[in-house]
Amino acid sequence: MEFIFITDNQNRSLRKKIETKLKINDLLAMILGLFGVILEYEEYELFYGDVKLDTDSSGNSIFTGTDDQYVETTTITVLRIIIGISSFLLALTIFNHYRLRLHFYKAKQKVDSYDTLKSSGLLIPMICEMVYCMIFCPPGFNWVFTFEQLGGYVDYAFDMLVLIVMLGRVYLIWRIAANYSSWNDEKAEEICNSCLCEGGVNFAIKAELKERPYTVVSIVLLLSILTFGVALRTAERPFMKVSLKNWDYMWNGMWCIVITMTTVGYGDFFPSTHLGRLIDVIACFWGTFLVSLMVVSLTISSEFTPQERKAYDKIKRDESEEDIKVKAINAIKCAIKLRIFLKKNPYASEKQKARLTNKFKNALIEYRTNKRNLVASEQDAPIEYILAKLNDKVSFGLERIKNDCHVYKTLLARLDSAEINQVSLQNDIKTLEALNSRVLSKLEMIKKLQDDPEPKKAF
């Protein structure tokens, strides 16, 4: 109800406030989520114990430090309590995220002002995300499950499975990147709507891949290697007694993920458990996608539709014009400072005059260079873009001609109707003139009768 009786400026200001709150809330959610993952990793390292794969004097593989494995200490209990509190706070930020998103949709009039989380379709995703973010290992849950596989036994602790699941919280980083992108703000979406294309996250992804494809893919690749590497090391470490591969070293897990995602596969490290193989298969498909995206992002993924290209160029042109305005203001300021200095200090040294003069010249050169680059960028546009702009102009011209023809037809119809009305009006005028003549003749007769004396009677 509060979004109905407000002006456009108030609505715009309200959307900006909600968007700012949403960004802060998502940033806090990312911090809480990653904080919980880091604490869970440290807590599992303590819970797993200081188990190491070593060799004895005869060269046989032995394990040391197995006595304190899977034993909950006071430090582990405190860490689990802190993880639980951070998970609860994370769930609250997730709830607040969907609440703010609903208000944002109402302000943008994407949903009705009376809609709730349930009627807007946000309730089920919110519940699923809150349940996922509330996953953690409470104190006392020290269950260890033993499975037989590949000629040996593997012990999986409940704490280990929770750690692998919690690694998925890295998606909160992606949400922050999407929210803070300049291609996904209010102005960019308005330009996309004016260009008849849909803005939002999909447009922001295409724009980011077009602007800096290697940076985006490299960051995602590094995060993927770290996440899958930790998950694979965690899943394979309990099976070291059978596989005899040293998964205690963190970089071995990341190295295995690297050679898997790049489809190299040297064979020096490979998963032996079913869970590790599942993680490796997922990493293989994901890595193939990322590596191919490194090439595809330069061609297919970054290709815009004509409407998106128009929106992208308009955004870039607006940014360049704003930059030119800043350069122009800077040049004017330098000129004013130079003028005031020369008036106040007519006998100043040549060195001081030269310093201010050079500063003004440099500001003016920067302005002219940016202006020249803007004009050159418009002239050196790709042929496809020029043809698209020409097509838009022709389409606009044809549409205008069509509208003008419709206006002309309407005018002709009105002229025909006016001619008919004029003929009818002339007939009515003639009828009125005839009636007027008859009325005047009657009045003349009545006047004559009033003027003549009464006739005499005959005898």
Side-chain angles (χ1 to χ4, degrees):
M1 192 70 180
E2 58 180 329
F3 301 99
I4 298 178
F5 303 104
I6 58 176
T7 62
D8 292 338
N9 291 332
Q10 291 176 338
N11 194 3
R12 191 178 296 108
S13 177
L14 180 62
R15 289 199 305 267
K16 191 174 181 179
K17 290 180 180 178
I18 296 175
E19 189 175 8
T20 303
K21 292 181 181 179
L22 191 60
K23 289 180 179 180
I24 297 174
N25 181 83
D26 290 345
L27 180 61
L28 180 61
M30 184 196 70
I31 294 173
L32 289 172
L34 298 182
F35 177 73
V37 172
I38 294 172
L39 287 184
E40 178 64 25
Y41 174 78
E42 293 295 330
E43 181 268 327
Y44 177 71
E45 288 293 315
L46 296 174
F47 186 66
Y48 182 78
D50 193 18
V51 180
K52 299 293 181 182
L53 178 64
D54 203 352
T55 55
D56 56 10
S57 58
S58 60
N60 297 323
S61 299
I62 60 173
F63 287 87
T64 61
T66 58
D67 296 335
D68 59 345
Q69 190 178 21
Y70 302 136
V71 176
E72 182 177 353
T73 61
T74 305
T75 304
I76 293 175
T77 303
V78 172
L79 286 176
R80 288 181 178 180
I81 293 174
I82 296 174
I83 294 169
I85 294 173
S86 66
S87 299
F88 177 74
L89 294 177
L90 176 60
L92 291 181
T93 59
I94 297 300
F95 171 77
N96 194 39
H97 167 83
Y98 282 92
R99 185 183 65 84
L100 291 174
R101 186 194 289 186
L102 178 62
H103 285 291
F104 189 66
Y105 286 165
K106 287 181 180 180
K108 294 178 69 174
Q109 297 180 354
K110 285 188 175 182
V111 297
D112 192 78
S113 58
Y114 295 98
D115 277 337
T116 60
L117 288 171
K118 183 178 181 180
S119 60
S120 62
L122 297 175
L123 182 62
I124 295 178
M126 182 192 71
I127 293 176
C128 294
E129 191 171 352
M130 289 180 66
V131 170
Y132 172 73
C133 292
M134 280 292 292
I135 294 177
F136 72 100
C137 184
F141 283 66
N142 303 321
W143 305 326
V144 179
F145 309 98
T146 303
F147 301 95
E148 182 182 359
Q149 54 182 336
L150 302 176
Y153 292 91
V154 58
D155 296 330
Y156 281 155
F158 176 75
D159 198 9
M160 183 211 72
L161 300 176
V162 169
L163 172 60
I164 294 176
V165 173
M166 287 181 65
L167 289 173
R169 291 185 181 182
V170 294
Y171 80 93
L172 296 170
I173 301 177
W174 177 258
R175 176 178 288 174
I176 283 293
N179 286 342
Y180 278 86
S181 175
S182 60
W183 303 98
N184 193 27
D185 57 5
E186 187 80 12
K187 183 179 179 181
E189 188 168 356
E190 289 179 357
I191 294 176
C192 289
N193 293 334
S194 65
C195 296
L196 303 179
C197 70
E198 185 177 358
V201 178
N202 292 331
F203 176 76
I205 292 174
K206 288 184 178 182
E208 292 291 347
L209 287 174
K210 189 169 185 65
E211 279 290 297
R212 37 185 177 268
Y214 293 108
T215 302
V216 174
V217 176
S218 298
I219 292 175
V220 176
L221 192 62
L222 290 175
L223 287 175
S224 302
I225 291 172
L226 179 61
T227 303
F228 284 110
V230 173
L232 182 61
R233 171 182 178 266
T234 304
E236 288 295 319
R237 211 159 44 142
F239 201 61
M240 288 192 300
K241 296 179 182 179
V242 180
S243 64
L244 300 179
K245 295 185 182 299
N246 187 7
W247 292 99
D248 287 322
Y249 194 44
M250 171 66 73
W251 298 105
N252 288 339
M254 298 177 66
W255 167 251
C256 184
I257 291 297
V258 168
I259 61 178
T260 300
M261 296 178 74
T262 55
T263 65
V264 175
Y266 286 116
D268 52 349
F269 272 88
F270 54 88
S272 302
T273 63
H274 298 321
L275 181 58
R277 288 176 177 178
L278 176 62
I279 295 172
D280 213 40
V281 168
I282 297 174
C284 180
F285 283 111
W286 178 246
T288 303
F289 169 73
L290 289 180
V291 173
S292 62
L293 188 62
M294 189 75 73
V295 178
V296 176
S297 62
L298 301 177
T299 54
I300 300 175
S301 297
S302 60
E303 286 294 329
F304 287 148
T305 63
Q307 293 82 3
E308 290 174 340
R309 177 72 188 191
K310 184 178 179 181
Y312 171 80
D313 290 334
K314 192 173 189 313
I315 294 172
K316 291 291 292 183
R317 187 167 58 251
D318 290 346
E319 291 179 354
S320 300
E321 289 177 355
E322 290 294 330
D323 192 21
I324 288 175
K325 289 180 181 178
V326 172
K327 299 297 182 184
I329 292 172
N330 190 23
I332 294 171
K333 286 182 178 179
C334 291
I336 294 173
K337 288 181 180 179
L338 178 61
R339 180 67 176 173
I340 294 174
F341 178 78
L342 293 177
K343 280 187 175 181
K344 290 184 177 181
N345 305 282
Y347 303 104
S349 63
E350 294 296 330
K351 184 177 180 180
Q352 292 178 334
K353 293 180 181 179
R355 182 175 60 81
L356 293 176
T357 304
N358 291 332
K359 190 175 181 180
F360 168 66
K361 287 181 179 179
N362 292 333
L364 192 59
I365 289 172
E366 289 181 0
Y367 166 73
R368 290 177 176 175
T369 302
N370 288 358
K371 184 70 175 179
R372 193 182 304 111
N373 292 336
L374 178 61
V375 176
S377 63
E378 294 177 353
Q379 294 177 351
D380 297 337
I383 297 177
E384 295 81 2
Y385 176 61
I386 295 175
L387 292 176
K389 288 188 69 175
L390 183 61
N391 184 32
D392 292 340
K393 289 184 178 180
V394 171
S395 300
F396 178 75
L398 292 175
E399 189 68 24
R400 186 173 180 179
I401 292 173
K402 181 180 177 180
N403 294 334
D404 292 342
C405 290
H406 179 71
V407 172
Y408 294 151
K409 288 181 180 179
T410 305
L411 290 175
L412 289 175
R414 290 182 178 180
L415 287 174
D416 293 337
S417 177
E419 290 180 356
I420 295 173
N421 292 334
Q422 186 177 4
V423 172
S424 176
L425 183 60
Q426 290 177 354
N427 294 331
D428 292 340
I429 291 173
K430 290 180 180 179
T431 303
L432 288 174
E433 289 178 350
L435 289 174
N436 189 31
S437 299
R438 292 175 61 183
V439 169
L440 290 175
S441 61
K442 291 291 186 180
L443 290 174
E444 290 291 335
M445 291 177 60
I446 293 171
K447 186 176 180 181
K448 288 180 179 180
L449 290 175
Q450 290 178 351
D451 293 340
D452 291 342
E454 185 178 355
K456 297 179 179 180
K457 294 182 179 181
F459 294 95

